[in-house]
């Protein structure tokens, strides 16, 4: 299965994509994770992306499309995948479609995790992560066992620089202007599913997603 998870920042698409990819044996491909890794290692890509990420703007399409092309060429996408954070603009969605058509591949479904603006702001202001293993935590609902320390390796938890309040507001604004139009793009292609992703815990949302994927497999 080739899936795209769509949703605003803080919709839980990263957490859910990781869980579901693990359960279904799919590759989880997060462009945000790839970019953060590139920034950490100061690669050419990282140096170019850093300034955009710090203020919550999107990295130019050409840089991101290059990343996805590389994954496609390497064969890493051949066993099925969940794309998380890509596509993020209409040109990215169109390029993905063309790139896949050329390679006899297709996207089975785009799944939107639906969350209100107020919930996004609430979640992102409580978000922490482990710089060693990348595990995510959320105050007050997903606390580590020892305050401020990762359950897996004891590392001191950190906040993503782009989770600070002013940047969060900009990321939400960027989402509405540049990313939300792709919801309609996939609706028109008739491959859109929408899942309510608030008012329930992460396990319940995982169940909803798994049920939807099961339903799609039968269609
Ligand atoms: P995320 O972890 O998906 O929230 O991504 C973090 C940041 O990485 C975003 O705010 C963008 O600056 C950048 N980014 C991730 N994916 C993309 C993409 N597909 N297109 C452009 N910028 C991206």
């Amino acid at each position: 299965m080739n899936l795209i998870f769509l949703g605003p920042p803080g919709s839980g698409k990263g957490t859910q994509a990781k869980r579901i990819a693990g359960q279904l044996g799919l590759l989880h491909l997060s462009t945000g994770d790839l970019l953060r890794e590139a920034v950490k290692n100061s690669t050419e890509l990282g140096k170019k992306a850093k300034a955009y990420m710090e203020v919550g703007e999107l990295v130019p399409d050409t840089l991101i499309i290059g990343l996805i092309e590389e994954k496609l060429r390497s064969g890493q996408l051949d066993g099925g995948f969940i794309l998380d954070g890509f596509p993020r603009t209409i040109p990215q969605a169109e390029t993905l479609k063309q790139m896949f058509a050329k390679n006899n591949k297709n996207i089975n479904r785009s799944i939107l995790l639906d969350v209100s603006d107020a919930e996004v702001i609430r979640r992102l202001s409580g978000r922490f992560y482990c710089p060693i293993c990348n595990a995510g935590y959320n105050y007050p609902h997903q606390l580590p066992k020892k305050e401020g320390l990762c359950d897996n390796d004891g590392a001191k938890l950190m906040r993503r620089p782009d989770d600070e309040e002013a940047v969060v507001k900009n990321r939400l604004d960027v989402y509405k202007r540049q990313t939300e139009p792709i919801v309609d793009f996939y609706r028109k292609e008739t491959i859109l599913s929408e899942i309510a992703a608030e008012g329930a815990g992460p396990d319940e949302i995982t169940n909803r997603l798994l049920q939807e994927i099961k339903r799609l497999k039968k269609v």
Side-chain angles (χ1 to χ4, degrees):
M1 269 224 143
N2 298 336
L3 301 170
I4 294 173
F5 278 14
L6 288 173
S11 57
K13 62 184 187 319
T15 307
Q16 296 295 346
K18 198 187 278 176
R19 282 186 181 194
I20 290 182
Q23 289 192 27
L24 302 182
L26 301 170
L27 174 79
H28 170 216
L29 192 68
S30 155
T31 43
D33 284 351
L34 291 176
L35 289 171
R36 277 184 288 279
E37 192 63 25
V39 170
K40 200 159 115 189
N41 296 330
S42 281
T43 65
E44 280 311 305
L45 172 67
K47 285 183 203 155
K48 287 181 190 150
K50 191 167 185 265
Y52 297 96
M53 295 173 76
E54 276 172 355
V55 291
E57 292 292 326
L58 295 185
V59 168
D61 286 340
T62 44
L63 290 182
I64 295 288
I65 288 165
L67 256 183
I68 301 290
E69 262 169 354
E70 212 179 282
K71 296 283 167 193
L72 184 62
R73 238 180 288 127
S74 71
Q76 285 181 64
L77 302 183
D78 292 352
F81 55 81
I82 302 179
L83 292 181
D84 155 21
F86 181 91
R88 219 51 169 240
T89 62
I90 291 283
Q92 288 181 18
E94 277 169 349
T95 308
L96 179 70
K97 189 176 165 189
Q98 287 158 12
M99 216 156 60
F100 271 32
K102 262 192 226 154
N103 287 273
N104 293 321
K105 279 197 187 319
N106 68 322
I107 299 292
N108 299 101
R109 204 78 179 170
S110 253
I111 305 183
L112 173 69
L113 281 80
D114 225 346
V115 174
S116 67
D117 292 359
E119 178 70 5
V120 163
I121 290 172
R122 193 191 66 70
R123 284 187 193 173
L124 294 185
S125 46
R127 190 156 88 164
F128 287 80
Y129 79 102
C130 170
I132 307 288
C133 71
N134 234 353
Y137 297 89
N138 213 292
Y139 290 82
H141 298 299
Q142 243 180 302
L143 295 171
K145 292 192 185 92
K146 280 194 195 147
E147 196 183 330
L149 301 179
C150 178
D151 291 346
N152 301 330
D153 46 42
K156 193 164 180 288
L157 298 180
M158 295 179 67
R159 280 178 66 69
R160 272 173 53 173
D162 59 353
D163 279 349
E164 297 307 330
E165 195 180 333
V167 184
V168 164
K169 290 210 172 111
N170 194 36
R171 285 167 67 204
L172 197 53
D173 197 45
V174 165
Y175 174 78
K176 288 194 186 294
R177 273 188 289 117
Q178 294 181 266
T179 306
E180 218 164 47
I182 68 178
V183 172
D184 254 345
F185 177 93
Y186 288 117
R187 192 175 283 128
K188 283 190 191 126
E189 301 246 313
T190 67
I191 55 166
L192 182 77
S193 293
E194 295 181 60
I195 300 290
E198 68 177 281
D203 293 346
E204 168 57 23
I205 310 289
T206 306
N207 277 338
R208 289 180 193 171
L209 287 162
L210 285 171
Q211 268 170 23
E212 175 64 5
I213 293 168
K214 210 162 146 192
R215 187 188 70 80
L216 294 169
K217 277 186 178 162
K218 285 191 199 137
V219 177

